[in-house]
Amino acid sequence: IDIRNTHAADPLLASFRSLDQLEYLNLVGTAITDKGIIELATLKSIKNIYCWNTKVTVSGIEAFQKNRPDVKIVVGQEQ
């Protein structure tokens, strides 16, 4: 799902819990915070999250990765 550059915030992510085949989430340029990204750890099928230009911090990413080291989180635009 690509919600980049929208007004999306943490409450929207709760609606993704039922998406059991969600593998890709682009949060670039949204108001998603650490709380929101940590909640995404419950998505069993998620493989890639893109989250630069958000309110997600290094601490939030580290907390997520503790539970889900298998998920790739991109915090900067890859060349």
Side-chain angles (χ1 to χ4, degrees):
I1 293 178
D2 186 344
I3 58 171
R4 77 181 129 179
N5 299 320
T6 66
H7 296 287
D10 295 342
L12 173 67
L13 300 180
S15 65
F16 296 160
R17 287 185 191 136
S18 63
L19 303 176
D20 58 358
Q21 295 182 7
L22 179 63
E23 295 183 0
Y24 161 89
L25 190 54
N26 189 332
L27 305 172
V28 173
T30 64
I32 302 300
T33 69
D34 290 347
K35 180 183 176 192
I37 201 161
I38 291 167
E39 288 182 21
L40 292 174
T42 62
L43 298 174
K44 301 296 182 200
S45 60
I46 196 76
K47 294 180 181 175
N48 297 290
I49 300 173
Y50 298 85
C51 63
W52 63 88
N53 293 331
T54 65
K55 296 180 180 181
V56 176
T57 67
V58 172
S59 297
I61 292 169
E62 289 172 350
F64 178 94
Q65 297 270 248
K66 272 181 149 178
N67 296 315
R68 293 296 306 276
D70 58 311
V71 176
K72 179 180 178 183
I73 298 181
V74 181
V75 293
Q77 193 167 10
E78 292 186 331
Q79 302 297 322

